[in-house]
Amino acid sequence: MKRIPKWVKWTVGLVFGGFIIVLAAASLYFYQYAFVPSHKDFLSNKQTTSEKAAQTWLKQQSPATWHETAVNSDLKLDALYLPATKPTNKAVVVAHGYMNTKEDMAEYIRMFHNAGYNVLAPDDRGHGQSQGNYIGWGWPDRLDYTKWTQQVIQKLGDKSEIALFGVSMGGATVMYMSGEKLPSQVKTIVEDCGYTSIMDELGYQAKQMYNLPSFPLVPAVALTASIRTGYNVFAASSINALKKNHLPIMFIHGAKDTFVPTSMVYQNYKATSADKELWVVPGAKHAQSYGKDPKRYTQKVIGWLQQHMS
């Protein structure tokens, strides 16, 4: 058998070593870009007139501040709690999107408050007033939100009824929660434009923003993130969570969503055998279904809650 020349071995070794170095550098760069809280130039910071008005309204309500400690961590988390105008044991826990804050959910908080619900809106790890130097993409946050629901129960009593609601990353968060053992007081879920997994969303964005294939970059970024953040990025799957779900769940998605592709909502809808409803909003882009038709959105969502909360 003819021996491979040393220069060939050295060349192959150098090429492979160079590839690993480049991949490692790219992984660190995209980890910073996707998992470290900071200004993201791919996100729009523009607010609509309606969003500004809702945030002004929220400040005028002087909501209470609640505190919690993150699961498997000593990170301190903040939330706002807005009680209903008339006493009720019904509440909605609201989950915000990627690099948003609880205040950014003002339109939805107002919608639920006007419908007579108590509302709790937390800041996720690394967002708003909560501590943390990484973005959980909803996966570790699902456990934190479960703790928040327990605080709501302590406030409203064992006979309280709770709905989970989330938009974008918040939509993924509440879907992830559906696979956990939740308090019996949690009665239903409404998710708006959540993704199927962190891996799927990273792969989609790599293609959309940089025209890069998912492999090997996305697994490398996920590995880097898992090591640095301490949570398993590979395990985050709404599909797997929804297979365990037994709660009634409503799925909402914009028909023209190009940030979390509309195709993902069909996968999520198919994954659960629970009582469910799907509403794909014509003409709506990412996280704009409410803004597209606030009246219809309110009718659909509040109607769903009234149907599934006694």
Side-chain angles (χ1 to χ4, degrees):
M1 185 176 179
K2 192 174 182 179
R3 295 181 63 183
I4 300 174
K6 286 186 177 180
W7 70 267
V8 174
K9 293 180 180 179
W10 276 103
T11 300
V12 172
L14 287 171
V15 170
F16 182 73
F19 172 76
I20 294 299
I21 291 172
V22 170
L23 182 60
S27 299
L28 285 170
Y29 172 80
F30 283 107
Y31 164 75
Q32 288 285 134
Y33 201 57
F35 287 88
V36 176
S38 63
H39 172 75
K40 309 295 181 184
D41 55 16
F42 57 87
L43 297 176
S44 173
N45 295 314
K46 294 181 180 179
Q47 287 186 320
T48 65
T49 302
S50 176
E51 289 170 337
K52 291 178 181 178
Q55 290 194 14
T56 298
W57 169 87
L58 183 59
K59 289 178 182 178
Q60 293 170 345
Q61 308 312 305
S62 300
T65 300
W66 284 16
H67 303 284
E68 188 56 86
T69 303
V71 176
N72 301 323
S73 172
D74 59 358
L75 295 174
K76 302 303 180 185
L77 308 176
D78 271 27
L80 66 80
Y81 178 77
L82 185 61
T85 304
K86 296 181 180 180
T88 178
N89 66 342
K90 297 178 177 61
V92 182
V93 177
V94 174
H96 65 73
Y98 182 88
M99 289 311 302
N100 288 146
T101 67
K102 55 189 182 295
E103 290 80 11
D104 290 322
M105 300 300 285
E107 286 184 308
Y108 305 102
I109 294 170
R110 183 179 59 187
M111 175 182 73
F112 292 122
H113 179 76
N114 288 344
Y117 295 92
N118 301 292
V119 185
L120 179 70
D123 277 330
D124 288 16
R125 303 178 186 198
H127 293 73
Q129 300 303 309
S130 291
Q131 295 179 343
N133 59 2
Y134 61 84
I135 299 168
W137 287 74
W139 187 242
D141 312 291
R142 80 195 191 283
L143 304 177
D144 300 336
Y145 274 82
T146 301
K147 288 185 73 174
W148 284 120
T149 64
Q150 292 164 351
Q151 270 211 56
V152 174
I153 295 166
Q154 290 172 9
K155 174 73 173 179
L156 301 179
D158 290 339
K159 293 184 179 180
S160 57
E161 296 186 29
I162 300 171
L164 305 176
F165 173 84
V167 178
S168 192
M169 184 178 79
T173 303
V174 297
M175 285 191 287
Y176 294 152
M177 290 177 72
S178 76
E180 301 299 315
K181 186 176 181 181
L182 299 172
S184 60
Q185 290 83 357
V186 178
K187 302 300 183 183
T188 187
I189 299 171
V190 178
E191 80 82 24
D192 184 340
C193 63
Y195 35 80
T196 49
S197 72
I198 301 176
M199 295 288 286
D200 288 346
E201 183 61 13
L202 288 175
Y204 175 79
Q205 291 301 333
K207 179 65 176 178
Q208 285 291 105
M209 297 173 65
Y210 301 99
N211 200 29
L212 292 171
S214 293
F215 188 84
L217 179 61
V218 170
V221 173
L223 178 61
T224 301
S226 297
I227 293 170
R228 293 219 162 190
T229 64
Y231 71 87
N232 186 354
V233 173
F234 297 93
S237 168
S238 62
I239 302 297
N240 290 340
L242 287 163
K243 287 178 180 178
K244 303 175 187 177
N245 174 56
H246 66 277
L247 294 172
I249 180 168
M250 181 179 188
F251 299 89
I252 303 171
H253 216 102
K256 292 189 175 181
D257 194 335
T258 57
F259 192 78
V260 175
T262 309
S263 59
M264 288 189 181
V265 76
Y266 296 105
Q267 297 176 59
N268 285 325
Y269 180 79
K270 184 179 179 181
T272 184
S273 58
D275 183 11
K276 57 189 177 181
E277 181 176 333
L278 172 61
W279 182 34
V280 176
V281 182
K285 296 182 180 179
H286 183 66
Q288 293 184 2
S289 292
Y290 176 87
K292 193 70 176 176
D293 191 346
K295 184 177 180 180
R296 180 65 173 154
Y297 192 101
T298 300
Q299 289 174 341
K300 295 278 286 186
V301 172
I302 300 304
W304 178 265
L305 265 55
Q306 290 173 341
Q307 182 182 348
H308 296 285
M309 298 169 77
S310 62

